[in-house]
Amino acid sequence: MIRRACRTCRTMQDFVKLTEEERAAVRAERGRRHYVHDLWRCTAEGCAWYQPYLHTDGGGLLPERFRRQAATAEG
């Protein structure tokens, strides 16, 4: 886990590496050759933002189903 500035939350948040399912969703959106092994996602409740390790450029939003998972996983 790392602490980074989240572009959608507009605060510092904890980030974790994308799961295999999340990486597959990014590849489906950006193309199968898109490099997904250095992408991290915000763990804030309801946030679906992901980004590369060192910067917010190259990030995006995961599909809506992952937003709901993040909200219930914190429980």
Side-chain angles (χ1 to χ4, degrees):
M1 190 174 321
I2 60 171
R3 194 133 176 100
R4 295 280 185 237
C6 176
R7 184 178 275 187
T8 57
C9 294
R10 296 185 178 166
T11 59
M12 295 297 284
Q13 296 292 335
D14 290 329
F15 278 70
V16 295
K17 285 195 108 167
L18 294 184
T19 66
E20 191 65 36
E21 187 179 2
E22 291 165 340
R23 287 194 301 261
V26 172
R27 271 202 188 107
E29 179 183 318
R30 296 213 170 173
R32 71 187 248 289
R33 295 188 65 172
H34 185 74
Y35 186 75
V36 295
H37 294 289
D38 189 33
L39 296 178
W40 296 70
R41 71 158 301 158
C42 178
T43 59
E45 186 172 331
C47 187
W49 177 255
Y50 68 89
Q51 66 187 43
Y53 180 76
L54 291 175
H55 51 81
T56 59
D57 291 339
L61 291 173
L62 292 167
E64 196 63 30
R65 69 181 185 269
F66 294 107
R67 182 184 312 275
R68 289 189 295 272
Q69 282 182 343
T72 58
E74 297 276 324

